[in-house]
Amino acid sequence: MKTAKSQAIVTNVSRRNLLKGVVSTGGLVLAAQFVPTSVAMAAYKTGADGMPGGVVWDPHVYVSIDPSGIVTIVTHRSEMGTGSRTSLPMVVADEMEADWSQVRIMQAEGDEKKYGNQDTDGSRSIRHFIQPMRTCGAAARQMLEHAAALTWNVSDSDCRAENHRVIHIPTGKSLGYGELAAVAATLKTPDQKSLTLKDPADFRYIGKGQVQITDLFNITTGKANYAQDIHVPGMKFAVVARPPVVLGQVKTFDEAAAMKVPGVVKVVKIPATPMPAKFAPLGGVAVIANSTWAALKGREALKVTWDDGPNKNYDSDAYKAKMQAQARRPGKIERNEGDVDKALAGADKVIEREYYIPHGVHVPMEPPAAVVQIKDGKAEVWACVQSPGGTRGDVAKTLGMKEDDVRVNVTLLGGGFGRKSKCDFALEAAILSKAMGGTPVKVVWTREDDIHHSFYHSVSYQHITAGLDKNKKVVAWRHRSVSPSLMSNFMPDPKRESALELGLGLIDTPFDVPNLRLETGEAVAQTRIGWFRSVNNIPHAFAMQSMVAELAHELGRDPKDFLLEMIGPPRIVDPRKTVTSELWNYGDPWDTYPVDTARTRRVVERVAKEAGWGRQLPKGSGLGIAVQRSFLTYVATVVEVAVDDKGNVTVPRVDTAIDCGFVVNPERIRSQIEGAAVMGLSLAKLNQITFKNGRVQQNNFHDYPVLRIGQGAMDVRTHIIAATIDDPSSGVGEPGVPPFAPAFINAVFAATGKRIRNLPLGEQLTA
């Protein structure tokens, strides 16, 4: 197998590039028709069709070949570090037998009518598109083989595509893809029933881990362009003074001083949007200038008074006390098995514990930025968005345009973690460009802007009660979860976690306990709640996996052995039978992605083996273990910590086992797990957003730190469970995070004997 050493070239899709590169040169433009009912192509069902925009099965341009042989593959997902715009084109290239060194990648604009769903979130890119991309590649390969057969006047069965050429098997003669492009361009897309996918044994790139991330060279040498780098001729720059309290409004403002700042050209009031506002701006006053610096100085000079509105008293300490009180009362029953009340009443021993996670914020290295230009009745957007299709629709709505009149160009994302699935910053740029008569305006968010006005990871309070019988078996498990809902952006006052949030690691609790009840308590959102990498899996996993370790300690059991006992024998857990409200399985079918405790057990056993569970450690060191099924992937983590006499904690080693079904790109899986270790440790050890008088109290990395290189795990080892092409692929971007915090905290307990139930760890060992 040839190793792919060359770097594919990335460009943005544009009609101009297509004309130059393909159509005008008479090359092949593949309009592959995908039909989900094809026996050969539909190995298993996913929830892709249920997403906004779904999967487009009409003729759809993904692949083109120019006469020089360069294969251009369009990638419709955003790149924020997960490698999706490498891995999906790699699948196409593999199926069509393309030489990766001759592949060019085009970034799709936001157009869900054309490309289908483009929401690069929910760890869905591989899960939902490996099958369509394989189909696309297979269609291209067979069209090229047929073109060669026509050229030589031979049978198709005697022609075989191999490494960018089609070979006539009986004679050994061959033609390159570029030589076949013109003929192939005249052919119809093959009937789907005639498509044959490659035997996995013949994969060139899939599963090999030899293709480096497409943009690696430019990213690591500072040559890559992000939204913050976009420059459009005649562009102005804007920053916004936003209400310091969510749902606050501008009471008065005086622009005189701001307008005296050299370079400031205009001050614009952005209207407030009442909740539920989705991703619309919540108002403020924008300063538009000839440079970012002038805009910032103008904002400093601006005089604004605010009406802080209904959330002016939002206080993290008081809110935590309310959540605690709520968690101690009966909640709404979401899943119920057996008779928990009776089992607890008859238990030999009852143990109750509470766990708290504060708000978090994404802090991508690149704060949000977007440029919008309005010209000739059309709007063009350049933005670092995870949802270019959704951004297109929201910009069109904001400007009163048709979607077809809005073009969204997707840049590289300097990190996302869910923040850039919300396009509020692009909508601000649209509003301001319109206010400037269509002049291109770039809205720049500073780090402080992002920390003060984000969509926050939800604060959460978890209360678990376990009943033990005389045989030291857990006979009752009651878990109450209290957390304001991200659905508050979309509906008035949802009060409690939605089905979507319950599906994130609570409703699919896998424990083998005869009496089990999952409840939710009311919690009204007083700030914006948003998706954050792994979302509610983080608090649910922290509480459950901490509680299991606490019970193991109470019973004098080994935490790993007791965890396996709680998981129980290999079986399929089917919450559909016992859930009392709407059930959500990441939007994907249960039959394809059930809760399989054999897989849960497998990752626990594998990581324990790889980590040397039970090995002797120096004094002050400890191992902790945790497991979580999230985004339909099973992940177990063992964290080793070392705690010195002053309570300072370091992490010498992390082992993670992951079962994500069929593996497309193992190197990207390793990178995601390594990143999850960094992010997970930051959350567990350092991070919290707190509110006082409705205002966020943190400002920048000095008081909301992310882990520095010297503070991270010294050795992160990833152990991937082998799978076949018949095992449905599942998410990778997010599942590494949830088990990290409980594994870390369990390790701290093993090292110190001190149980931490409130994150972050902070100074709790040194206070």
Side-chain angles (χ1 to χ4, degrees):
M1 179 63 69
K2 180 180 178 180
T3 301
K5 296 180 178 178
S6 302
Q7 182 188 29
I9 300 170
V10 176
T11 58
N12 265 75
V13 162
S14 73
R15 296 174 183 85
R16 182 169 57 250
N17 281 342
L18 280 171
L19 285 171
K20 285 182 177 179
V22 182
V23 177
S24 64
T25 54
L28 164 67
V29 177
L30 173 63
Q33 288 183 305
F34 303 118
V35 179
T37 55
S38 165
V39 174
M41 301 305 121
Y44 51 82
K45 297 291 184 183
T46 72
D49 288 309
M51 290 297 297
V55 175
V56 174
W57 302 104
D58 292 330
H60 192 81
V61 176
Y62 271 112
V63 178
S64 61
I65 305 172
D66 72 19
S68 73
I70 293 295
V71 171
T72 300
I73 301 175
V74 174
T75 177
H76 67 305
R77 314 298 281 180
S78 300
E79 181 58 82
M80 69 192 98
T82 61
S84 61
R85 77 169 176 175
T86 300
S87 297
L88 288 174
M90 190 185 80
V91 170
V92 177
D94 202 326
E95 277 291 348
M96 70 178 291
E97 273 293 317
D99 180 345
W100 188 252
S101 68
Q102 298 186 62
V103 171
R104 181 189 302 160
I105 296 173
M106 270 191 181
Q107 179 66 52
E109 61 183 286
D111 188 345
E112 294 193 342
K113 292 179 183 175
K114 185 175 182 181
Y115 298 109
N117 181 262
Q118 293 182 272
D119 294 346
T120 314
D121 55 19
S123 300
R124 278 186 285 255
S125 291
I126 294 295
R127 189 168 98 220
H128 281 179
F129 289 99
I130 178 176
Q131 294 184 83
M133 292 300 107
R134 288 192 73 195
T135 308
C136 184
R141 169 170 41 84
Q142 290 186 214
M143 291 172 75
L144 290 160
E145 289 172 339
H146 187 49
L150 291 174
T151 301
W152 293 321
N153 193 26
V154 299
S155 170
D156 281 28
S157 61
D158 286 336
C159 299
R160 186 183 69 218
E162 185 175 316
N163 195 26
H164 230 79
R165 301 187 71 81
V166 176
I167 301 168
H168 183 233
I169 300 170
T171 63
K173 61 185 177 183
S174 68
L175 289 169
Y177 281 5
E179 297 172 282
L180 294 168
V183 175
T186 66
L187 303 178
K188 291 183 179 179
T189 304
D191 183 280
Q192 64 275 8
K193 294 181 180 178
S194 71
L195 295 179
T196 303
L197 298 177
K198 286 174 66 173
D199 186 321
D202 296 328
F203 283 153
R204 303 174 62 81
Y205 313 118
I206 298 173
K208 307 300 182 185
Q210 296 174 335
V211 175
Q212 68 180 29
I213 193 167
T214 300
D215 313 285
L216 185 62
F217 178 79
N218 286 342
I219 291 170
T220 54
T221 57
K223 295 179 180 178
N225 282 321
Y226 300 85
Q228 293 276 4
D229 300 314
I230 292 295
H231 187 89
V232 176
M235 186 176 75
K236 301 299 181 184
F237 302 80
V239 295
V240 181
R242 300 175 183 83
V245 180
V246 167
L247 298 188
Q249 297 197 34
V250 177
K251 186 185 292 182
T252 65
F253 74 96
D254 183 348
E255 63 190 68
M259 290 299 296
K260 291 179 181 177
V261 173
V264 171
V265 297
K266 194 167 186 174
V267 174
V268 177
K269 181 181 177 181
I270 296 177
T273 305
M275 296 291 274
K278 193 188 173 191
F279 307 139
L282 297 184
V285 182
V287 177
I288 304 171
N290 292 326
S291 68
T292 304
W293 178 253
L296 289 167
K297 301 305 289 184
R299 185 171 67 174
E300 288 178 13
L302 194 65
K303 295 179 180 177
V304 187
T305 61
W306 306 96
D307 176 348
D308 285 344
N311 296 317
K312 63 182 179 183
N313 295 321
Y314 185 36
D315 179 283
S316 290
D317 290 338
Y319 196 79
K320 180 181 178 182
K322 286 184 179 179
M323 296 175 77
Q324 181 185 55
Q326 182 67 50
R328 292 178 177 179
R329 295 194 292 268
K332 179 188 175 190
I333 298 174
E334 307 286 357
R335 178 180 162 194
N336 193 35
E337 296 174 9
D339 190 334
V340 166
D341 291 335
K342 183 178 179 180
L344 288 174
D348 184 60
K349 190 172 187 177
V350 174
I351 297 174
E352 294 186 76
R353 296 289 185 267
E354 296 174 339
Y355 305 93
Y356 174 75
I357 288 185
H359 284 295
V361 68
H362 316 78
V363 289
M365 287 298 109
E366 179 205 26
V371 180
V372 174
Q373 180 179 31
I374 304 170
K375 187 177 181 181
D376 299 329
K378 298 180 184 297
E380 185 150 15
V381 181
W382 295 262
C384 49
V385 287
Q386 292 175 235
S387 177
T391 300
R392 187 188 194 200
D394 286 352
V395 168
K397 183 179 179 181
T398 299
L399 295 176
M401 291 181 170
K402 298 177 181 177
E403 280 196 27
D404 289 345
D405 291 329
V406 176
R407 179 183 174 87
V408 176
N409 304 284
V410 185
T411 67
L412 270 178
L413 280 61
F417 315 115
R419 171 64 183 93
K420 293 171 182 174
S421 64
K422 298 90 175 174
C423 60
D424 50 327
F425 50 99
L427 303 184
E428 289 178 336
I431 292 169
L432 297 178
S433 178
K434 184 176 182 180
M436 291 289 290
T439 297
V441 174
K442 175 155 75 173
V443 167
V444 175
W445 285 51
T446 64
R447 177 76 54 212
E448 289 82 356
D449 289 340
D450 194 28
I451 287 179
H452 281 258
H453 305 285
S454 191
F455 294 73
Y456 300 95
H457 179 39
S458 189
V459 61
S460 174
Y461 207 92
Q462 311 284 311
H463 182 112
I464 300 179
T465 305
L468 306 173
D469 68 8
K470 293 181 179 178
N471 298 317
K472 298 183 178 181
K473 299 290 185 182
V474 177
V475 294
W477 180 276
R478 185 182 66 204
H479 184 165
R480 290 178 182 147
S481 180
V482 180
S483 191
S485 174
L486 59 83
M487 295 305 292
S488 54
N489 293 300
F490 306 99
M491 59 189 295
D493 199 14
K495 291 185 179 178
R496 63 181 76 241
E497 290 170 83
S498 64
L500 182 152
E501 291 155 308
L502 295 175
L504 295 163
L506 182 68
I507 214 75
D508 55 345
T509 297
F511 295 150
D512 184 26
V513 178
N515 303 286
L516 182 146
R517 194 162 76 207
L518 309 176
E519 302 176 9
T520 54
E522 292 188 1
V524 177
Q526 293 191 254
T527 187
R528 287 192 135 182
I529 306 297
W531 294 277
F532 179 98
R533 187 182 184 185
S534 302
V535 207
N536 290 49
N537 276 295
I538 295 173
H540 295 153
F542 176 58
M544 285 192 283
Q545 296 296 311
S546 294
M547 183 66 170
V548 169
E550 292 212 49
L551 291 173
H553 176 72
E554 185 74 22
L555 296 170
R557 299 283 305 279
D558 176 82
K560 181 264 293 182
D561 293 342
F562 187 72
L563 174 58
L564 289 171
E565 182 176 302
M566 287 292 292
I567 295 167
R571 69 196 187 286
I572 300 298
V573 176
D574 191 351
R576 290 177 294 184
K577 300 174 182 176
T578 53
V579 166
T580 57
S581 56
E582 183 185 357
L583 185 60
W584 191 78
N585 189 39
Y586 299 88
D588 275 64
W590 280 100
D591 291 339
T592 307
Y593 297 100
V595 179
D596 185 346
T597 60
R599 299 176 71 182
T600 314
R601 293 183 63 89
R602 190 180 303 136
V603 291
V604 170
E605 291 165 344
R606 174 72 181 276
V607 78
K609 178 181 178 182
E610 299 286 356
W613 184 262
R615 59 188 158 93
Q616 290 294 316
L617 294 170
K619 182 182 178 183
S621 296
L623 296 177
I625 190 169
V627 66
Q628 182 79 351
R629 171 189 181 263
S630 65
F631 299 91
L632 309 172
T633 286
Y634 302 78
V635 176
T637 295
V638 169
V639 175
E640 178 184 342
V641 303
V643 186
D644 69 17
D645 294 340
K646 297 179 180 178
N648 299 308
V649 182
T650 56
V651 179
R653 176 173 165 179
V654 176
D655 286 83
T656 295
I658 177 169
D659 179 353
C660 56
F662 180 69
V663 172
V664 170
N665 196 334
E667 195 54 34
R668 297 281 66 76
I669 294 174
R670 293 187 188 97
S671 69
Q672 291 308 299
I673 294 300
E674 290 165 1
V678 174
M679 193 168 190
L681 186 53
S682 290
L683 293 172
K685 191 176 178 181
L686 303 171
N687 294 161
Q688 65 174 328
I689 289 291
T690 57
F691 286 80
K692 189 74 174 178
N693 297 324
R695 291 159 167 79
V696 172
Q697 293 182 286
Q698 290 70 34
N699 294 286
N700 207 319
F701 286 138
H702 67 283
D703 52 7
Y704 190 84
V706 295
L707 219 61
R708 269 49 173 185
I709 290 177
Q711 298 173 306
M714 303 304 294
D715 185 5
V716 180
R717 306 182 186 195
T718 303
H719 315 287
I720 301 171
I721 302 294
T724 73
I725 192 71
D726 296 323
D727 299 314
S729 298
S730 51
V732 171
E734 297 167 88
V737 175
F740 192 93
F744 171 72
I745 292 301
N746 290 340
V748 169
F749 177 80
T752 66
K754 184 167 184 176
R755 173 56 61 178
I756 304 298
R757 302 189 181 94
N758 296 270
L759 293 185
L761 172 64
E763 306 298 324
Q764 294 183 66
L765 294 181
T766 56

